[in-house]
Amino acid sequence: MAGVRERFVWWAAAVVALGVGLSSAAHAQGALSVALARPKQIRVDGELGEWRGLRFSSLGDAADGSAQLCLAYDATGLYVAARVHDDHFVRSAHPGPGEDALVLTLALPEAGRWTQRELWLYAGVPGRQRASVAMRVAAAGSQESLARLAEIVEGPLPDGYTLEAFIPWSALGRGAHWAFARGALRLHDVDVPAGSARDRSTAIANSPAELPWLLFDGGPVQALAGLLREKNLGGAVPRLDWVGELRGDGKAVRVLVLGTFVVLSDEGSTFTFEDLPITSSADVLEPRLQDLTGDGRPELMLRLRQRNELGARELWRVLDLQAAHARPLFGIETRKQTADGFVGASVEVRSAAGRAAAIVVRAGEAHGLSADNYREDPAAGVEPILLPWGPVREREYGWDGTRFAVTHELPSTHAVAPARAQPAAPAAARAPAPPAQTVDAASVLEAYRQARGLPASAQPSYSLQANLADDARLETVMTFGNELVIVGEGFRGGSGFFYFTLPVRDGADVLHLFAGDVTGDGRSELFVRVRQHIGEVEREILLGYSFAADALQPVLRVEVRRARGQDSVANVVSLVREGQRSVLEIKPGTASGWAADSYPFSSESLDGIGPLLLPWRDAVARYRYVGQQLVSTERQP
């Protein structure tokens, strides 16, 4: 039967629940590009002249069944254009799956999964049967439903027919996040009524989550794909790829764990990268999304492995995804391994619908390591591992509205005094409650020395005074070895101290301590410059901390010096006043021995530490407090 040329427009309304979904690697080779249509560029009338200049894709090459296809979009909907070649056109008064059709498959994130819709576009027969469209919505655990939505007809074409369609975004559902749609086009060709079909498709997928992304020109998938290629991640398989609402604004966000990055991408072309403190994508062991704070929005849980020449450790971390940048909420060490052996701990998340989860950590077993030979320091910004010979065998953390705080502990019956002082509680811990009366700072400091097994004659390596917490009185901040200590007349009523283990092996690697108010709240943040050795390379890292919620919260980690032998690059660090607050300024400084053509290291950070500024390439960077982190928001020549 001869084909027809169709004038085909689809207008429909459907109510579909808003949602989210997990995705796996898609068949990128079948991805369809979707051009951005100018206002009034496309008129749906069956004539495809206005599509001239846009790229058509071929589907099949047989004379008895093939098509040229093109997609375009604007803010109101999706346009489809097709030239279909068909030597036997099959159509009845009530078109169905046993007849010729062009099928547009769309997968949209809804209600915790990818929901798939199939739009069956049926050409008509002039004077007998109008063009029509039917939509099938496939949902888990339910029958497919078929609904007739619209129909319009035009005249014949000698060797087949043309289709031109417009699909309003509103027809896909009130909460459909079309910018993150996946999809494919399929030519459904039959030669006799209800006969077997020969389907030719732009992509074949076993599930909606395996369909390729629709590459909207200027859209989030297309924009991010370009940067991934620049970072040599274009062919990498994500460990996690999720789309859903995170921030209560009705807009979708895509969350990617890819390579050594966490990427957040919105419905526009804006995205952010956060470095994970690892060196390889293989060190991401267990990415998962779950609501831990009870607000109905998921946090990102990660189990990470860190390795160097001394051994390996595993971290269990929670990242908050509410802001533009992923922000650490909680972290704890769960495994340490050295040449002598290993020690582990377990993490259990206890959750209930509509309530914040409890994080339960239990000390595990040790092989080859004991209180006598264990010498590992805790990782920066996370709770130290619970040791089987330590004073606590189980600790529970609960969400208090701002952080995960200790809510319950079970003491160990196998506690052993270590060969050197080990924290008896989390790395940021307080001393046992002192007598009710206020005592002087010297007595509090002596209580710290006794608690940490230091001689009474031990003196701090560095000391300064700054207003960090509580009232307007100044606190005294000191470093003893690799521990940072805070005491003060107004701090904890003048009767308690706070200590924090810095991420260095010993006190000789603590190089400098200073403070400044970078948040503008009238209280100072602390900055510690530390040294790190990796083989023959020596690095200096600037660490920034803000004292909040009875704990030191990390706000900055950036490399400021690197040396190997006589060669080095050293940045210049200072605080610059800006209104009521200070701004951290880092200048590239100078290089000795190295130049642009001889510097042997990559300029990208692979361990979550901000990269060193290079004098032959980088400008002066100024760091301001944004989203509970210090972020480089300005670079000057």
Side-chain angles (χ1 to χ4, degrees):
M1 179 182 292
V4 295
R5 181 179 62 185
E6 293 298 328
R7 179 172 182 261
F8 177 65
V9 183
W10 178 52
W11 297 98
V15 179
V16 184
L18 171 68
V20 297
L22 291 172
S23 85
S24 60
H27 303 280
Q29 69 275 13
L32 292 168
S33 296
V34 188
L36 178 61
R38 300 187 304 273
K40 300 181 180 181
Q41 175 185 357
I42 298 175
R43 184 176 58 194
V44 181
D45 57 5
E47 297 287 347
L48 305 186
E50 66 268 31
W51 293 79
R52 192 173 294 112
L54 298 181
R55 182 174 175 268
F56 278 70
S57 300
S58 295
L59 186 57
D61 55 9
D64 61 346
S66 62
Q68 286 77 48
L69 312 165
C70 191
L71 298 176
Y73 81 103
D74 60 21
T76 61
L78 180 69
Y79 298 86
V80 182
R83 301 185 186 96
V84 179
H85 303 276
D86 190 350
D87 61 343
H88 292 91
F89 180 68
V90 177
R91 177 65 68 248
S92 71
H94 303 286
E99 302 180 31
D100 290 312
L102 183 66
V103 183
L104 172 61
T105 301
L106 294 175
L108 296 166
E110 297 181 13
R113 64 183 183 275
W114 287 94
T115 298
Q116 181 171 303
R117 295 167 171 80
E118 285 191 345
L119 303 175
W120 287 64
L121 313 181
Y122 295 109
V125 180
R128 288 172 33 197
Q129 178 63 39
R130 301 179 65 185
S132 61
V133 59
M135 183 169 71
R136 295 180 176 185
V137 180
S142 67
Q143 296 275 336
E144 288 189 341
S145 62
L146 186 64
R148 188 82 53 185
L149 298 177
E151 38 190 63
I152 289 183
V153 172
E154 282 282 337
L157 193 68
D159 59 348
Y161 56 91
T162 63
L163 282 178
E164 193 172 20
F166 174 69
I167 303 161
W169 299 127
S170 59
L172 298 179
R174 180 174 52 85
H177 301 295
W178 56 266
F180 289 110
R182 297 172 177 272
L185 277 166
R186 180 170 90 248
L187 182 61
H188 184 73
D189 181 28
V190 299
D191 289 336
V192 295
S196 60
R198 290 170 301 187
D199 281 12
R200 301 168 179 86
S201 181
T202 58
I204 299 174
N206 295 320
S207 69
E210 293 182 352
L211 285 167
W213 296 100
L214 292 184
L215 302 180
F216 292 97
D217 187 13
V221 176
Q222 188 83 305
L224 184 58
L227 188 60
L228 293 179
R229 286 192 295 270
E230 291 180 13
K231 290 182 173 288
N232 295 318
L233 293 171
V237 177
R239 297 300 309 279
L240 178 73
D241 194 348
W242 181 93
V243 179
E245 289 192 29
L246 287 175
R247 298 160 187 164
D249 56 4
K251 297 180 180 179
V253 177
R254 184 181 179 192
V255 182
L256 272 168
V257 179
L258 185 67
T260 61
F261 300 99
V262 174
V263 185
L264 301 182
S265 173
D266 63 22
E267 291 184 357
S269 56
T270 303
F271 46 82
T272 60
F273 278 75
E274 295 300 320
D275 287 322
L276 294 171
I278 54 177
T279 58
S280 166
S281 60
D283 295 325
V284 180
L285 304 179
E286 192 178 332
R288 189 157 60 95
L289 287 161
Q290 184 175 334
D291 177 18
L292 300 179
T293 61
D295 63 358
R297 302 166 193 163
E299 282 71 44
L300 176 59
M301 296 182 291
L302 295 167
R303 189 161 62 91
L304 305 174
R305 178 174 55 212
Q306 296 179 326
R307 295 173 288 187
N308 59 23
E309 72 281 2
L310 300 177
R313 65 181 164 211
E314 291 182 11
L315 307 177
W316 190 86
R317 300 186 71 189
V318 177
L319 299 183
D320 174 43
L321 306 175
Q322 301 295 311
H325 291 261
R327 179 178 67 89
L329 273 186
F330 179 78
I332 190 165
E333 296 174 304
T334 58
R335 181 180 172 90
K336 292 286 190 78
Q337 184 169 350
T338 70
D340 295 321
F342 69 88
V343 60
S346 64
V347 177
E348 177 189 357
V349 177
R350 296 175 179 170
S351 59
R355 298 175 56 187
I359 299 171
V360 181
V361 185
R362 298 183 183 89
E365 295 183 351
H367 294 270
L369 296 178
S370 67
D372 295 327
N373 65 357
Y374 182 75
R375 298 291 185 274
E376 284 294 291
D377 290 319
V382 302
E383 303 288 294
I385 190 171
L386 287 188
L387 300 171
W389 55 84
V392 177
R393 64 181 173 91
E394 180 176 304
R395 179 175 290 130
E396 181 177 307
Y397 298 85
W399 181 249
D400 66 4
T402 59
R403 65 178 181 129
F404 285 97
V406 176
T407 57
H408 182 67
E409 287 183 346
L410 294 178
S412 173
T413 58
H414 306 289
V416 177
R420 72 182 180 100
Q422 280 286 339
R430 68 167 72 202
Q437 70 272 21
T438 298
V439 295
D440 59 44
S443 298
V444 175
L445 189 57
E446 179 57 28
Y448 161 76
R449 291 191 183 98
Q450 292 179 4
R452 306 304 293 142
L454 300 177
S457 59
Q459 297 298 313
S461 302
Y462 297 93
S463 179
L464 61 81
Q465 287 192 316
N467 180 21
L468 303 176
D470 298 330
D471 57 24
R473 286 174 286 186
L474 300 180
E475 281 73 46
T476 299
V477 185
M478 297 163 282
T479 59
F480 286 84
N482 65 344
E483 289 186 351
L484 187 149
V485 185
I486 303 174
V487 299
E489 181 181 350
F491 184 70
R492 293 178 175 170
S495 61
F497 62 82
F498 172 96
Y499 73 89
F500 181 89
T501 304
L502 294 166
V504 294
R505 298 180 190 176
D506 54 55
D509 292 324
V510 179
L511 305 178
H512 187 45
L513 174 69
F514 64 98
D517 179 12
V518 296
T519 64
D521 64 356
R523 294 178 177 172
S524 293
E525 282 64 51
L526 292 174
F527 296 90
V528 189
R529 189 163 178 153
V530 301
R531 179 169 49 211
Q532 180 187 79
H533 295 273
I534 303 177
E536 61 182 359
V537 176
E538 179 180 286
R539 303 168 78 194
E540 292 182 15
I541 311 299
L542 182 65
L543 305 172
Y545 299 98
S546 177
F547 192 87
D550 209 28
L552 279 181
Q553 307 292 342
V555 297
L556 176 77
R557 290 191 303 166
V558 62
E559 184 175 356
V560 292
R561 183 178 181 272
R562 181 175 297 197
R564 186 173 68 181
Q566 299 300 311
D567 300 329
S568 67
V569 174
N571 295 165
V572 179
V573 179
S574 61
L575 289 174
V576 179
R577 291 297 300 173
E578 186 180 78
Q580 299 299 313
R581 67 176 181 177
S582 297
V583 172
L584 182 71
E585 183 178 85
I586 302 181
K587 298 179 180 179
T590 58
S592 175
W594 281 322
D597 58 353
S598 61
Y599 187 66
F601 304 103
S602 168
S603 60
E604 287 197 19
S605 169
L606 296 176
D607 57 2
I609 296 173
L612 180 73
L613 298 183
L614 302 177
W616 52 83
R617 187 197 67 187
D618 294 312
V620 176
R622 284 193 170 184
Y623 288 78
R624 293 178 174 82
Y625 194 68
V626 178
Q628 301 186 338
Q629 295 286 310
L630 281 175
V631 178
S632 178
T633 58
E634 175 185 344
R635 291 186 181 268
Q636 301 179 348

